[in-house]
Amino acid sequence: MVQIVPCTGVFGAGSPSRQVARGGHHDNLTKAAFESLGSENELTVFKVVVEILLFLLPLALGARYGPFGLIGASAVSVFIMVEVLRLQPGTAPIAAIFIILSVISATAAMTAAGGMDWLVRMAAKALRRHPKQIPIIGPLLVWLFTVMSGTGNITFALIPILYEVSYSAKIRPERVLATANAVCQLALMASPVAAVSYVFIQMTESQGNSLGKTLAVTVPASLIATVLMSLVMTRYGKNLEDDPEYQRRLAAGEVEPPPELADDVEAEPLPPRAAWSAYIFVGGVIVGCILGFFEKLRPTYSVAVIDDSGSLDAPVAHMVERHVSMSTMIPITMFAVVGLIMIICKVKTPKVIGQPIVGTGLIAALLLLATPVMAGTILNAHMESIKSFVGSAIGVSVLLFAVILFVLAALIQSQVASLTILIPASVIAGLGVGPMTGMLGAASGNNLLASMGGLGQACIMTDKTGSTKQGSILINGSFTVPMLLGVVFSIAVGMVVQMFVF
């Protein structure tokens, strides 16, 4: 009998030698795949590290060299990201830039016409009538003027008055000056003409937000926070009679004893139509508020909307009526204010351009062309990861939004820029507009290094008693405590109020 034996030779399918060859080849492929995957992971990690460095280095340079250092370094980072790393560049918030330029132009025109000085003198009269209440009335006036003007720079004009009245009333000037410094940043969230308000509204309008809803939260939150902060600060620091530094300066003749407060202080006459410019500016603010509160007062226009939802036919275009957005109406309104002030009050262009606030506005606009574009470039490359991170953080606690916003504002030194970075990621992560609005006070973190800023230095140099200090490590000076109090109080009140608004 012939036994048929399966072929197991070299060329047989079941050949052991062939199986070994196959196994070795498979192992080699697996090893190569893992090596390739490992190299790709290493490359990805290296690329992410480079991107993080390109984001952090401009912030560090900005802290050292100021806003223009941040702007220039951001541009260098974006160039490297786009040209070398081949990332998709971020988009500049053009609408926000127009809002900033229009509001700053209107404020500069009013200042050039003498309207700002007229407002400050009205405030001075109110303060001198009630000197003992300066720790409360002073910050409240700063809040009111900031809300009306849309800029904290108006506080520069109030600092000498706040110091004069508080010192004459023998009240520690630090309590008033440091609080005013914090309030002028916190109040921007409640201003209907502040750039930060409209930038936030523009980015959340598609989520059902509006000017009326935002102000319904930020006005009571910042106002109540201002009062509470002022009350706490009335007990902050030693009284002047117990302050050894003040007593030393008084004994050495470095500071005069508290003078009697005069009712009328001689001042240079204002331009003949200074009050008119203030009325026109406030009128523009009121018009902007009315248009924001009542959408139906804004004009409408037709937009073609393409509907291709699952239809086998060709997409159909439907005409939809939409109201002109506030991000368009505010620049129109405020530039109109500029024109009216210049015509009615007879102000020349060189005088408007020469106002210090124009430089401040230019820096703010340029920051929006730099920092948000840099952050947007990274967001485009890692949107899913950032969405997951922000979502995880919010999942742990909604209040972590406030922490992230505070840190960003402190690093970037810009409320507008920090919001343009964080809000899109938070919206994608699913955070509601209500909680975001309630926590807008955290953007006052840009005041963490207030002693390095112009306003902080103005407070320190104006206070001859030595009570307002810079601090040995910048954040342990006079301005940190009121700033933190304002942030905590505004978030606490805002989170409660937003539940009734949204």
Side-chain angles (χ1 to χ4, degrees):
M1 183 173 67
V2 179
Q3 184 178 4
I4 301 175
V5 180
C7 178
T8 57
V10 176
F11 300 102
S15 168
S17 60
R18 185 180 180 97
Q19 290 175 1
V20 171
R22 280 184 176 180
H25 181 61
H26 177 73
D27 291 341
N28 290 336
L29 286 176
T30 304
K31 184 178 179 181
F34 275 111
E35 289 178 352
S36 175
L37 183 61
S39 61
E40 287 181 7
N41 288 337
E42 290 175 1
L43 183 62
T44 302
V45 171
F46 176 75
K47 188 176 179 182
V48 170
V49 170
V50 170
E51 291 169 8
I52 292 173
L53 290 175
L54 288 174
F55 179 77
L56 294 178
L57 284 175
L59 302 182
L61 291 173
R64 180 176 178 83
Y65 297 105
F68 266 103
L70 174 58
I71 292 166
S74 298
V76 173
S77 289
V78 172
F79 182 86
I80 295 173
M81 290 179 192
V82 174
E83 283 296 323
V84 179
L85 302 181
R86 296 297 176 180
L87 301 183
Q88 178 186 346
T91 305
I94 301 300
I97 293 172
F98 273 117
I99 290 171
I100 290 175
L101 293 177
S102 65
V103 172
I104 293 299
S105 298
T107 306
M110 178 181 66
T111 305
M116 192 71 78
D117 290 334
W118 182 82
L119 288 173
V120 170
R121 291 187 186 183
M122 295 299 103
K125 288 182 180 179
L127 290 172
R128 291 190 178 101
R129 287 178 189 149
H130 308 282
K132 292 295 183 181
Q133 283 73 45
I134 182 90
I136 307 297
I137 296 178
L140 283 175
L141 278 174
V142 171
W143 181 90
L144 178 63
F145 275 47
T146 303
V147 168
M148 288 194 306
S149 64
T151 172
N153 289 318
I154 193 172
T155 311
F156 278 102
L158 293 173
I159 286 173
I161 301 167
L162 295 174
Y163 171 74
E164 172 201 351
V165 176
S166 60
Y167 186 46
S168 297
K170 300 180 181 179
I171 294 172
R172 185 179 179 89
E174 177 190 31
R175 297 170 179 171
V176 182
L177 297 179
T179 305
N181 190 293
V183 169
C184 73
Q185 295 299 314
L186 190 63
L188 289 174
M189 310 300 167
S191 174
V193 289
V196 64
S197 299
Y198 278 103
V199 167
F200 176 71
I201 293 168
Q202 180 205 0
M203 290 187 294
T204 55
E205 201 169 20
S206 60
Q207 310 298 314
N209 194 18
S210 65
L211 176 64
K213 289 181 179 180
T214 299
L215 295 184
V217 176
T218 56
V219 168
S222 61
L223 182 57
I224 294 173
T226 296
V227 174
L228 294 176
M229 184 197 333
S230 301
L231 288 173
V232 174
M233 289 298 291
T234 59
R235 316 297 295 178
Y236 183 76
K238 298 178 180 179
N239 294 329
L240 287 179
E241 59 267 23
D242 301 323
D243 189 330
E245 175 60 22
Y246 167 68
Q247 293 299 328
R248 184 195 67 77
R249 293 190 180 198
L250 188 63
E254 297 177 13
V255 60
E256 296 292 329
E260 292 294 329
L261 192 61
D263 293 331
D264 295 314
V265 179
E266 293 185 5
E268 296 181 3
L270 294 172
R273 298 183 180 180
W276 290 25
S277 67
Y279 294 146
I280 294 171
F281 184 90
V282 173
V285 173
I286 294 173
V287 169
C289 289
I290 293 173
L291 292 175
F293 291 145
F294 304 102
E295 186 181 51
K296 292 182 179 180
L297 294 178
R298 286 180 256 154
T300 60
Y301 60 97
S302 299
V303 179
V305 177
I306 306 298
D307 182 12
D308 57 352
S309 55
S311 176
L312 297 177
D313 300 327
V316 180
H318 299 283
M319 301 305 293
V320 178
E321 293 291 321
R322 289 186 179 173
H323 290 277
V324 176
S325 68
M326 284 305 296
S327 60
T328 301
M329 289 305 303
I330 283 298
I332 293 174
T333 304
M334 298 315 292
F335 278 129
V337 167
V338 174
L340 289 174
I341 291 176
M342 296 188 71
I343 294 170
I344 296 175
C345 302
K346 300 179 180 179
V347 181
K348 301 295 183 182
T349 298
K351 193 171 183 180
V352 176
I353 296 176
Q355 298 302 316
I357 196 172
V358 173
T360 303
L362 177 62
I363 290 175
L366 290 175
L367 277 171
L368 284 183
L369 283 173
T371 311
V373 174
M374 177 179 65
T377 304
I378 297 177
L379 281 173
N380 290 337
H382 305 283
M383 183 57 72
E384 290 302 320
S385 300
I386 293 172
K387 174 184 174 181
S388 176
F389 168 74
V390 176
S392 299
I394 295 171
V396 173
S397 174
V398 173
L399 292 177
L400 282 177
F401 170 86
V403 176
I404 297 171
L405 178 58
F406 181 90
V407 172
L408 271 177
L411 288 173
I412 301 174
Q413 293 291 290
S414 170
Q415 294 179 345
V416 174
S418 57
L419 284 175
T420 54
I421 292 171
L422 184 58
I423 296 300
S426 300
V427 170
I428 293 172
L431 182 60
V433 178
M436 283 193 285
T437 308
M439 292 183 281
L440 280 180
S444 295
N446 71 316
N447 216 24
L448 180 63
L449 301 178
S451 58
M452 290 176 57
L455 186 59
Q457 287 296 315
C459 291
I460 293 170
M461 291 186 290
T462 301
D463 186 1
K464 305 302 181 185
T465 68
S467 64
T468 309
K469 303 178 182 66
Q470 176 169 306
S472 57
I473 56 173
L474 300 180
I475 61 172
N476 65 336
S478 300
F479 308 102
T480 304
V481 170
M483 183 270 297
L484 292 175
L485 287 172
V487 169
V488 172
F489 287 143
S490 67
I491 291 175
V493 176
M495 289 299 286
V496 173
V497 174
Q498 65 88 19
M499 291 190 292
F500 298 95
V501 176
F502 289 91

PDB file of all heavy atoms in Angstrom, residues 464-487:
ATOM      1  N   LYS A 464       1.803 110.960  48.275  1.00  0.00           N
ATOM      2  CA  LYS A 464       2.998 111.431  48.976  1.00  0.00           C
ATOM      3  C   LYS A 464       3.115 110.842  50.380  1.00  0.00           C
ATOM      4  O   LYS A 464       4.175 110.942  51.008  1.00  0.00           O
ATOM      5  CB  LYS A 464       2.978 112.959  49.072  1.00  0.00           C
ATOM      6  CG  LYS A 464       2.840 113.675  47.738  1.00  0.00           C
ATOM      7  CD  LYS A 464       3.951 113.314  46.789  1.00  0.00           C
ATOM      8  CE  LYS A 464       3.801 114.062  45.461  1.00  0.00           C
ATOM      9  NZ  LYS A 464       4.813 113.636  44.459  1.00  0.00           N
ATOM     10  N   THR A 465       2.057 110.238  50.888  1.00  0.00           N
ATOM     11  CA  THR A 465       2.121 109.655  52.231  1.00  0.00           C
ATOM     12  C   THR A 465       2.888 108.335  52.248  1.00  0.00           C
ATOM     13  O   THR A 465       3.264 107.851  53.315  1.00  0.00           O
ATOM     14  CB  THR A 465       0.706 109.397  52.779  1.00  0.00           C
ATOM     15  OG1 THR A 465       0.081 108.351  52.023  1.00  0.00           O
ATOM     16  CG2 THR A 465      -0.146 110.660  52.703  1.00  0.00           C
ATOM     17  N   GLY A 466       3.102 107.722  51.078  1.00  0.00           N
ATOM     18  CA  GLY A 466       3.803 106.446  51.006  1.00  0.00           C
ATOM     19  C   GLY A 466       2.929 105.248  51.304  1.00  0.00           C
ATOM     20  O   GLY A 466       3.429 104.110  51.408  1.00  0.00           O
ATOM     21  N   SER A 467       1.618 105.461  51.439  1.00  0.00           N
ATOM     22  CA  SER A 467       0.739 104.338  51.768  1.00  0.00           C
ATOM     23  C   SER A 467       0.499 103.422  50.559  1.00  0.00           C
ATOM     24  O   SER A 467       0.280 102.216  50.729  1.00  0.00           O
ATOM     25  CB  SER A 467      -0.605 104.860  52.291  1.00  0.00           C
ATOM     26  OG  SER A 467      -1.311 105.585  51.299  1.00  0.00           O
ATOM     27  N   THR A 468       0.525 103.957  49.342  1.00  0.00           N
ATOM     28  CA  THR A 468       0.323 103.158  48.124  1.00  0.00           C
ATOM     29  C   THR A 468       1.679 102.653  47.660  1.00  0.00           C
ATOM     30  O   THR A 468       2.553 103.445  47.303  1.00  0.00           O
ATOM     31  CB  THR A 468      -0.349 103.984  47.021  1.00  0.00           C
ATOM     32  OG1 THR A 468      -1.520 104.612  47.540  1.00  0.00           O
ATOM     33  CG2 THR A 468      -0.719 103.113  45.833  1.00  0.00           C
ATOM     34  N   LYS A 469       1.857 101.331  47.658  1.00  0.00           N
ATOM     35  CA  LYS A 469       3.178 100.748  47.410  1.00  0.00           C
ATOM     36  C   LYS A 469       3.162  99.838  46.185  1.00  0.00           C
ATOM     37  O   LYS A 469       2.130  99.275  45.808  1.00  0.00           O
ATOM     38  CB  LYS A 469       3.626  99.928  48.628  1.00  0.00           C
ATOM     39  CG  LYS A 469       3.674 100.711  49.936  1.00  0.00           C
ATOM     40  CD  LYS A 469       4.083  99.824  51.083  1.00  0.00           C
ATOM     41  CE  LYS A 469       4.099 100.558  52.401  1.00  0.00           C
ATOM     42  NZ  LYS A 469       2.744 100.978  52.813  1.00  0.00           N
ATOM     43  N   GLN A 470       4.352  99.675  45.599  1.00  0.00           N
ATOM     44  CA  GLN A 470       4.521  98.791  44.452  1.00  0.00           C
ATOM     45  C   GLN A 470       4.677  97.340  44.889  1.00  0.00           C
ATOM     46  O   GLN A 470       4.169  96.433  44.227  1.00  0.00           O
ATOM     47  CB  GLN A 470       5.737  99.218  43.629  1.00  0.00           C
ATOM     48  CG  GLN A 470       6.033  98.292  42.463  1.00  0.00           C
ATOM     49  CD  GLN A 470       7.067  98.888  41.523  1.00  0.00           C
ATOM     50  OE1 GLN A 470       6.920  99.996  41.039  1.00  0.00           O
ATOM     51  NE2 GLN A 470       8.142  98.146  41.282  1.00  0.00           N
ATOM     52  N   GLY A 471       5.363  97.106  45.967  1.00  0.00           N
ATOM     53  CA  GLY A 471       5.596  95.744  46.431  1.00  0.00           C
ATOM     54  C   GLY A 471       6.936  95.224  45.954  1.00  0.00           C
ATOM     55  O   GLY A 471       7.410  95.560  44.870  1.00  0.00           O
ATOM     56  N   SER A 472       7.537  94.362  46.754  1.00  0.00           N
ATOM     57  CA  SER A 472       8.874  93.857  46.431  1.00  0.00           C
ATOM     58  C   SER A 472       8.865  92.851  45.285  1.00  0.00           C
ATOM     59  O   SER A 472       9.837  92.706  44.553  1.00  0.00           O
ATOM     60  CB  SER A 472       9.497  93.215  47.681  1.00  0.00           C
ATOM     61  OG  SER A 472       8.648  92.182  48.181  1.00  0.00           O
ATOM     62  N   ILE A 473       7.742  92.120  45.122  1.00  0.00           N
ATOM     63  CA  ILE A 473       7.658  91.137  44.034  1.00  0.00           C
ATOM     64  C   ILE A 473       6.466  91.450  43.110  1.00  0.00           C
ATOM     65  O   ILE A 473       5.879  90.555  42.513  1.00  0.00           O
ATOM     66  CB  ILE A 473       7.532  89.702  44.586  1.00  0.00           C
ATOM     67  CG1 ILE A 473       6.329  89.568  45.519  1.00  0.00           C
ATOM     68  CG2 ILE A 473       8.806  89.286  45.291  1.00  0.00           C
ATOM     69  CD1 ILE A 473       6.060  88.136  45.952  1.00  0.00           C
ATOM     70  N   LEU A 474       6.122  92.744  43.038  1.00  0.00           N
ATOM     71  CA  LEU A 474       5.107  93.268  42.113  1.00  0.00           C
ATOM     72  C   LEU A 474       3.675  92.885  42.485  1.00  0.00           C
ATOM     73  O   LEU A 474       2.772  93.699  42.370  1.00  0.00           O
ATOM     74  CB  LEU A 474       5.399  92.841  40.671  1.00  0.00           C
ATOM     75  CG  LEU A 474       6.736  93.312  40.098  1.00  0.00           C
ATOM     76  CD1 LEU A 474       6.903  92.814  38.664  1.00  0.00           C
ATOM     77  CD2 LEU A 474       6.866  94.825  40.156  1.00  0.00           C
ATOM     78  N   ILE A 475       3.437  91.638  42.897  1.00  0.00           N
ATOM     79  CA  ILE A 475       2.064  91.239  43.182  1.00  0.00           C
ATOM     80  C   ILE A 475       1.732  91.339  44.669  1.00  0.00           C
ATOM     81  O   ILE A 475       0.640  90.963  45.080  1.00  0.00           O
ATOM     82  CB  ILE A 475       1.784  89.792  42.692  1.00  0.00           C
ATOM     83  CG1 ILE A 475       2.700  88.793  43.400  1.00  0.00           C
ATOM     84  CG2 ILE A 475       1.908  89.699  41.196  1.00  0.00           C
ATOM     85  CD1 ILE A 475       2.346  87.340  43.105  1.00  0.00           C
ATOM     86  N   ASN A 476       2.674  91.828  45.479  1.00  0.00           N
ATOM     87  CA  ASN A 476       2.390  91.992  46.902  1.00  0.00           C
ATOM     88  C   ASN A 476       2.277  93.461  47.270  1.00  0.00           C
ATOM     89  O   ASN A 476       2.487  93.852  48.411  1.00  0.00           O
ATOM     90  CB  ASN A 476       3.457  91.307  47.760  1.00  0.00           C
ATOM     91  CG  ASN A 476       4.826  91.945  47.604  1.00  0.00           C
ATOM     92  OD1 ASN A 476       5.101  92.583  46.582  1.00  0.00           O
ATOM     93  ND2 ASN A 476       5.685  91.769  48.598  1.00  0.00           N
ATOM     94  N   GLY A 477       1.942  94.295  46.284  1.00  0.00           N
ATOM     95  CA  GLY A 477       1.774  95.718  46.530  1.00  0.00           C
ATOM     96  C   GLY A 477       0.356  96.056  46.944  1.00  0.00           C
ATOM     97  O   GLY A 477      -0.415  95.209  47.392  1.00  0.00           O
ATOM     98  N   SER A 478      -0.010  97.315  46.736  1.00  0.00           N
ATOM     99  CA  SER A 478      -1.304  97.808  47.193  1.00  0.00           C
ATOM    100  C   SER A 478      -2.475  97.361  46.332  1.00  0.00           C
ATOM    101  O   SER A 478      -3.624  97.408  46.780  1.00  0.00           O
ATOM    102  CB  SER A 478      -1.274  99.347  47.245  1.00  0.00           C
ATOM    103  OG  SER A 478      -0.282  99.812  48.132  1.00  0.00           O
ATOM    104  N   PHE A 479      -2.224  96.928  45.103  1.00  0.00           N
ATOM    105  CA  PHE A 479      -3.305  96.751  44.137  1.00  0.00           C
ATOM    106  C   PHE A 479      -3.850  95.320  44.064  1.00  0.00           C
ATOM    107  O   PHE A 479      -4.928  95.099  43.510  1.00  0.00           O
ATOM    108  CB  PHE A 479      -2.819  97.172  42.743  1.00  0.00           C
ATOM    109  CG  PHE A 479      -2.209  98.537  42.714  1.00  0.00           C
ATOM    110  CD1 PHE A 479      -0.829  98.701  42.689  1.00  0.00           C
ATOM    111  CD2 PHE A 479      -3.003  99.665  42.751  1.00  0.00           C
ATOM    112  CE1 PHE A 479      -0.260  99.962  42.679  1.00  0.00           C
ATOM    113  CE2 PHE A 479      -2.449 100.930  42.742  1.00  0.00           C
ATOM    114  CZ  PHE A 479      -1.076 101.077  42.706  1.00  0.00           C
ATOM    115  N   THR A 480      -3.129  94.347  44.585  1.00  0.00           N
ATOM    116  CA  THR A 480      -3.533  92.947  44.415  1.00  0.00           C
ATOM    117  C   THR A 480      -4.794  92.603  45.199  1.00  0.00           C
ATOM    118  O   THR A 480      -5.712  91.961  44.679  1.00  0.00           O
ATOM    119  CB  THR A 480      -2.392  92.014  44.835  1.00  0.00           C
ATOM    120  OG1 THR A 480      -1.222  92.344  44.081  1.00  0.00           O
ATOM    121  CG2 THR A 480      -2.765  90.565  44.564  1.00  0.00           C
ATOM    122  N   VAL A 481      -4.862  93.029  46.460  1.00  0.00           N
ATOM    123  CA  VAL A 481      -6.010  92.678  47.301  1.00  0.00           C
ATOM    124  C   VAL A 481      -7.321  93.221  46.738  1.00  0.00           C
ATOM    125  O   VAL A 481      -8.294  92.466  46.581  1.00  0.00           O
ATOM    126  CB  VAL A 481      -5.789  93.149  48.754  1.00  0.00           C
ATOM    127  CG1 VAL A 481      -7.073  93.006  49.572  1.00  0.00           C
ATOM    128  CG2 VAL A 481      -4.673  92.350  49.403  1.00  0.00           C
ATOM    129  N   PRO A 482      -7.421  94.523  46.407  1.00  0.00           N
ATOM    130  CA  PRO A 482      -8.696  95.002  45.845  1.00  0.00           C
ATOM    131  C   PRO A 482      -9.031  94.357  44.506  1.00  0.00           C
ATOM    132  O   PRO A 482     -10.210  94.111  44.211  1.00  0.00           O
ATOM    133  CB  PRO A 482      -8.492  96.513  45.699  1.00  0.00           C
ATOM    134  CG  PRO A 482      -7.024  96.724  45.742  1.00  0.00           C
ATOM    135  CD  PRO A 482      -6.475  95.639  46.601  1.00  0.00           C
ATOM    136  N   MET A 483      -8.018  94.058  43.707  1.00  0.00           N
ATOM    137  CA  MET A 483      -8.279  93.406  42.429  1.00  0.00           C
ATOM    138  C   MET A 483      -8.883  92.025  42.633  1.00  0.00           C
ATOM    139  O   MET A 483      -9.884  91.656  41.998  1.00  0.00           O
ATOM    140  CB  MET A 483      -6.977  93.305  41.630  1.00  0.00           C
ATOM    141  CG  MET A 483      -7.115  92.703  40.237  1.00  0.00           C
ATOM    142  SD  MET A 483      -6.905  90.910  40.223  1.00  0.00           S
ATOM    143  CE  MET A 483      -5.210  90.746  40.761  1.00  0.00           C
ATOM    144  N   LEU A 484      -8.306  91.238  43.552  1.00  0.00           N
ATOM    145  CA  LEU A 484      -8.830  89.903  43.832  1.00  0.00           C
ATOM    146  C   LEU A 484     -10.217  89.967  44.449  1.00  0.00           C
ATOM    147  O   LEU A 484     -11.098  89.151  44.137  1.00  0.00           O
ATOM    148  CB  LEU A 484      -7.875  89.146  44.754  1.00  0.00           C
ATOM    149  CG  LEU A 484      -6.519  88.755  44.148  1.00  0.00           C
ATOM    150  CD1 LEU A 484      -5.628  88.114  45.215  1.00  0.00           C
ATOM    151  CD2 LEU A 484      -6.703  87.812  42.973  1.00  0.00           C
ATOM    152  N   LEU A 485     -10.437  90.943  45.326  1.00  0.00           N
ATOM    153  CA  LEU A 485     -11.763  91.121  45.919  1.00  0.00           C
ATOM    154  C   LEU A 485     -12.802  91.415  44.843  1.00  0.00           C
ATOM    155  O   LEU A 485     -13.905  90.846  44.843  1.00  0.00           O
ATOM    156  CB  LEU A 485     -11.741  92.259  46.949  1.00  0.00           C
ATOM    157  CG  LEU A 485     -11.033  91.991  48.276  1.00  0.00           C
ATOM    158  CD1 LEU A 485     -10.935  93.270  49.092  1.00  0.00           C
ATOM    159  CD2 LEU A 485     -11.757  90.917  49.069  1.00  0.00           C
ATOM    160  N   GLY A 486     -12.440  92.299  43.919  1.00  0.00           N
ATOM    161  CA  GLY A 486     -13.368  92.645  42.849  1.00  0.00           C
ATOM    162  C   GLY A 486     -13.706  91.456  41.974  1.00  0.00           C
ATOM    163  O   GLY A 486     -14.865  91.253  41.589  1.00  0.00           O
ATOM    164  N   VAL A 487     -12.703  90.640  41.651  1.00  0.00           N
ATOM    165  CA  VAL A 487     -12.926  89.454  40.818  1.00  0.00           C
ATOM    166  C   VAL A 487     -13.853  88.466  41.525  1.00  0.00           C
ATOM    167  O   VAL A 487     -14.828  87.982  40.946  1.00  0.00           O
ATOM    168  CB  VAL A 487     -11.581  88.782  40.471  1.00  0.00           C
ATOM    169  CG1 VAL A 487     -11.822  87.413  39.834  1.00  0.00           C
ATOM    170  CG2 VAL A 487     -10.776  89.653  39.524  1.00  0.00           C
TER     171      VAL A 487
END
